[in-house]
Amino acid sequence: MTSKILKNQLHYLDFIEQELLLCPKQPTAPLVIDMFAGCGGFALGFEAAGFRTIGYEMLADACTTYRHNLHTSCYQITLTPASDLVDGADVIIGGPPCQPFSVGGNQRGLKDSRDGFPTFLSAVERYRPKLALFENVRGMLFRNQAYFQEIVNALQKFNYFVEWQILNAVDYGVPQRRERLFCVAHQGGWKWPKKTNLSLHYTAGEALGELALSAPPESKFLTISMDEYVKKYEKASQCIRPRDLHLDTPARTVTCRNLCGATGDMLRIRLPDGRRRRLTVREGARLQSFPDWFEFQGSENSQFNQIGNAVPPLLAKALARSVMAYLNNLENSPSEKVNPPAQYIQLSFDF
């Protein structure tokens, strides 16, 4: 088992090292505004596909991580609809905060003061990129359809076609089952990325390799009382399979909560001697498809939060390649640009 994990681990690490090499900076490369940028997971995928990115993020640690690894600008700023951004960007991307439809939200849609979408929409309206792309949780389509429709309607009023899909990161080389909503506003001719041509999905064991069999000095083990809590949690939730990290399958969704929260939902590794420990920062990063050279800044909890909130870079690169193909097609066939027809604007939300 150990030798198989090590062999496949090298295969996985080689894969992400190859896919996420940063391209040499080309001053003529398309420029991307990265809003609510976090630590740069979205940007890493775009930089690896040949774009230039400039990030805007309010958290200092995340900005430092972004600059340290991507060697580009990331401005520490609390974005508002009036925020000035760089001119001349071909693309705007981002993961706007989504409190308005969360369980604890005020359900006020675009009028919620904590909502990042008015800021995102304002940037699209003022800077008129050739394409805008945002990421959010899949529940946005189901918990509050009216809210999502507000956003789509606003983008369509700016004369964009609007399309969306729920993409699973595991289909793009990420060793994690992570479904997220991606929405694209474009000028015609957009094509979603094809799934990575892998015979099997990468597993957590292939991603973690020998790390999953060891206990580094900084390991944090579950206590007896935590083990009891987990047991009661799984019984109460009728959990059929323990919530431990299973090395023979892709991981379940990596989040801030299950990386560093002391809860029954916590991602944890069961060692050969039976002890269970929390994941390390590097293990969480690998499950998100960050290469080992990507170094996170700040406290451990800050790093966990950066990882859990990030768009997996491998999935980001798949999207970035589609964006690059779209831009090239737009440049080579400008006459094909058309206005969204009326029947397209009157979109039906049949989920």
Side-chain angles (χ1 to χ4, degrees), residues 214-350:
S214 64
E218 68 274 17
S219 295
K220 295 182 179 178
F221 292 94
L222 274 68
T223 63
I224 294 176
S225 61
M226 292 173 71
D227 274 328
E228 287 299 317
Y229 177 87
V230 167
K231 187 183 299 183
K232 292 178 181 178
Y233 175 90
E234 291 179 344
K235 182 178 180 180
S237 60
Q238 299 181 327
C239 181
I240 298 174
R241 196 178 191 197
R243 304 287 277 173
D244 299 330
L245 188 69
H246 299 283
L247 301 181
D248 59 342
T249 64
R252 53 193 169 90
T253 305
V254 174
T255 66
C256 304
R257 173 184 169 86
N258 63 27
L259 278 176
C260 60
T263 70
D265 194 45
M266 182 199 306
L267 276 170
R268 65 238 175 203
I269 291 177
R270 184 182 290 274
L271 297 175
D273 62 9
R275 292 180 299 167
R276 294 192 293 184
R277 64 169 178 80
R278 288 167 49 171
L279 296 185
T280 64
V281 166
R282 182 49 53 198
E283 288 167 337
R286 283 195 189 177
L287 294 179
Q288 278 279 62
S289 76
F290 283 97
D292 281 0
W293 58 259
F294 197 97
E295 298 178 347
F296 297 87
Q297 309 297 307
S299 67
E300 183 182 65
N301 275 359
S302 174
Q303 293 180 47
F304 277 135
N305 285 330
Q306 292 172 51
I307 293 167
N309 284 327
V311 175
L314 280 180
L315 174 53
K317 185 178 181 182
L319 287 161
R321 283 172 168 162
S322 288
V323 174
M324 186 68 81
Y326 158 83
L327 292 178
N328 290 337
N329 182 64
L330 207 62
E331 182 177 340
N332 295 330
S333 307
S335 61
E336 295 182 7
K337 291 166 57 179
V338 294
N339 293 330
Q343 64 268 26
Y344 196 93
I345 293 176
Q346 299 302 319
L347 212 70
S348 172
F349 284 74
D350 183 12

Side-chain angles (χ1 to χ4, degrees), residues 20 34-46 57 66 70 93-96 133-137 167-169 172 174 176 178-183 253-256 284-291 294 296 304-320:
L20 297 171
D34 185 10
M35 303 180 69
F36 311 99
C39 66
F42 225 162
L44 175 55
F46 272 79
E57 165 61 38
Y66 194 115
L70 297 173
I93 63 175
L133 168 66
F134 71 79
E135 176 258 4
N136 223 293
V137 295
L167 302 181
N168 194 330
Y172 301 91
V174 182
Q176 174 196 164
R178 182 189 191 91
E179 290 187 324
R180 288 292 184 266
L181 168 68
F182 290 87
C183 183
T253 305
V254 174
T255 66
C256 304
R286 283 195 189 177
L287 294 179
Q288 278 279 62
S289 76
F290 283 97
F294 197 97
F296 297 87
F304 277 135
N305 285 330
Q306 292 172 51
I307 293 167
N309 284 327
V311 175
L314 280 180
L315 174 53
K317 185 178 181 182
L319 287 161

